[in-house]
Short mmCIF file of all heavy atoms in Angstrom, two decimals:
data_model
loop_
_atom_site.label_atom_id
_atom_site.label_comp_id
_atom_site.label_asym_id
_atom_site.label_seq_id
_atom_site.Cartn_x
_atom_site.Cartn_y
_atom_site.Cartn_z
N GLY A 9 6.18 10.70 22.46
CA GLY A 9 6.13 9.32 21.88
C GLY A 9 6.12 9.41 20.32
O GLY A 9 7.05 8.83 19.67
N HIS A 19 13.58 8.81 8.77
CA HIS A 19 14.79 8.15 8.25
C HIS A 19 14.50 6.85 7.44
O HIS A 19 15.28 6.68 6.35
CB HIS A 19 15.74 7.96 9.41
CG HIS A 19 16.27 9.08 10.21
ND1 HIS A 19 17.01 10.13 9.50
CD2 HIS A 19 16.25 9.54 11.38
CE1 HIS A 19 17.41 11.09 10.22
NE2 HIS A 19 16.85 10.75 11.40
N ALA A 21 11.82 6.01 5.85
CA ALA A 21 11.14 6.31 4.57
C ALA A 21 12.04 6.97 3.59
O ALA A 21 12.05 6.63 2.36
CB ALA A 21 9.88 7.25 4.84
N ASN A 31 17.06 1.47 -7.57
CA ASN A 31 16.94 0.08 -8.05
C ASN A 31 15.75 -0.05 -9.01
O ASN A 31 15.45 -1.16 -9.40
CB ASN A 31 16.93 -0.77 -6.89
CG ASN A 31 18.23 -1.02 -6.22
OD1 ASN A 31 18.99 -1.77 -6.51
ND2 ASN A 31 18.35 -0.21 -5.11
N ALA A 59 4.59 2.54 -7.78
CA ALA A 59 3.79 3.68 -8.22
C ALA A 59 2.96 4.17 -6.98
O ALA A 59 2.72 5.42 -6.80
CB ALA A 59 2.97 3.43 -9.41
N LEU A 101 -9.12 -4.02 -21.72
CA LEU A 101 -10.06 -4.31 -22.81
C LEU A 101 -10.04 -5.85 -23.13
O LEU A 101 -11.14 -6.30 -23.51
CB LEU A 101 -9.49 -3.51 -24.05
CG LEU A 101 -10.35 -3.56 -25.40
CD1 LEU A 101 -11.59 -2.86 -25.16
CD2 LEU A 101 -9.56 -2.92 -26.50
N LEU A 110 -7.47 -1.26 -13.23
CA LEU A 110 -7.85 -0.05 -12.39
C LEU A 110 -7.20 0.22 -11.25
O LEU A 110 -6.80 1.36 -10.84
CB LEU A 110 -9.43 -0.33 -12.11
CG LEU A 110 -10.09 0.73 -11.09
CD1 LEU A 110 -9.95 2.12 -11.52
CD2 LEU A 110 -11.44 0.26 -10.69
N HIS A 115 -3.14 4.57 -8.99
CA HIS A 115 -1.82 5.20 -8.31
C HIS A 115 -1.23 6.24 -9.25
O HIS A 115 -0.74 7.27 -8.84
CB HIS A 115 -0.85 4.16 -8.15
CG HIS A 115 -1.32 2.87 -7.27
ND1 HIS A 115 -2.15 3.06 -6.28
CD2 HIS A 115 -0.97 1.64 -7.43
CE1 HIS A 115 -2.47 1.85 -5.75
NE2 HIS A 115 -1.74 0.97 -6.41
N THR A 131 -15.13 3.69 -17.12
CA THR A 131 -16.50 4.21 -16.81
C THR A 131 -17.58 3.29 -17.46
O THR A 131 -18.65 3.09 -16.76
CB THR A 131 -16.55 5.63 -17.50
OG1 THR A 131 -15.65 6.49 -16.92
CG2 THR A 131 -17.98 6.12 -17.37
N ILE A 171 -17.55 -2.57 4.43
CA ILE A 171 -16.65 -2.68 5.64
C ILE A 171 -17.24 -3.80 6.47
O ILE A 171 -16.57 -4.59 7.00
CB ILE A 171 -16.47 -1.46 6.37
CG1 ILE A 171 -15.68 -0.36 5.50
CG2 ILE A 171 -15.76 -1.61 7.70
CD1 ILE A 171 -15.67 0.92 6.00
N ARG A 206 -8.36 9.44 4.34
CA ARG A 206 -9.68 9.64 4.89
C ARG A 206 -9.73 8.97 6.23
O ARG A 206 -10.21 7.85 6.34
CB ARG A 206 -10.70 9.10 3.87
CG ARG A 206 -10.92 9.87 2.62
CD ARG A 206 -11.73 9.05 1.67
NE ARG A 206 -12.08 9.67 0.34
CZ ARG A 206 -12.98 10.51 0.13
NH1 ARG A 206 -13.91 10.63 0.97
NH2 ARG A 206 -13.11 11.08 -1.03
N ASP A 227 2.93 -5.92 18.42
CA ASP A 227 4.01 -6.60 19.28
C ASP A 227 4.26 -8.01 18.83
O ASP A 227 5.41 -8.43 18.87
CB ASP A 227 3.56 -6.45 20.70
CG ASP A 227 3.63 -5.05 21.34
OD1 ASP A 227 4.28 -4.28 20.67
OD2 ASP A 227 3.13 -4.90 22.43
N VAL A 230 6.28 -8.07 15.59
CA VAL A 230 7.65 -7.58 15.83
C VAL A 230 8.46 -8.65 16.44
O VAL A 230 9.63 -8.86 16.09
CB VAL A 230 7.63 -6.34 16.66
CG1 VAL A 230 9.07 -5.98 17.24
CG2 VAL A 230 7.08 -5.03 15.91
N GLN A 233 9.62 -11.16 13.94
CA GLN A 233 10.33 -10.59 12.90
C GLN A 233 9.81 -10.67 11.56
O GLN A 233 10.46 -10.85 10.57
CB GLN A 233 11.77 -11.02 12.87
CG GLN A 233 12.54 -10.89 14.25
CD GLN A 233 13.96 -11.34 14.14
OE1 GLN A 233 14.67 -10.91 13.34
NE2 GLN A 233 14.20 -12.26 15.22
N ILE A 243 1.34 1.14 8.85
CA ILE A 243 0.49 1.97 8.06
C ILE A 243 -0.83 2.00 8.57
O ILE A 243 -1.38 3.14 8.56
CB ILE A 243 0.49 1.35 6.65
CG1 ILE A 243 1.87 1.33 5.92
CG2 ILE A 243 -0.55 2.19 5.64
CD1 ILE A 243 1.83 0.67 4.60
N PRO A 251 -3.41 8.36 15.48
CA PRO A 251 -2.28 7.31 15.48
C PRO A 251 -1.55 7.26 16.91
O PRO A 251 -1.34 8.29 17.61
CB PRO A 251 -1.41 7.85 14.48
CG PRO A 251 -2.06 8.78 13.61
CD PRO A 251 -3.20 9.46 14.61
N GLY A 253 1.54 5.93 17.12
CA GLY A 253 2.98 6.22 17.05
C GLY A 253 3.83 5.39 17.96
O GLY A 253 4.37 5.88 19.00
N THR A 293 8.43 -5.01 0.68
CA THR A 293 8.69 -4.64 2.18
C THR A 293 9.20 -3.13 2.08
O THR A 293 8.84 -2.40 2.93
CB THR A 293 9.60 -5.58 2.85
OG1 THR A 293 9.14 -6.84 2.77
CG2 THR A 293 9.62 -5.20 4.33
N THR A 302 6.21 7.59 5.31
CA THR A 302 5.62 8.88 4.82
C THR A 302 4.31 9.20 5.52
O THR A 302 4.14 10.45 5.94
CB THR A 302 5.38 8.67 3.28
OG1 THR A 302 6.50 8.35 2.57
CG2 THR A 302 4.63 9.93 2.68
#
Side-chain angles (χ1 to χ4, degrees):
H19 291 305
N31 288 275
L101 187 64
L110 167 59
H115 308 323
T131 298
I171 294 167
R206 297 171 177 263
D227 285 348
V230 165
Q233 302 181 54
I243 297 175
T293 309
T302 298

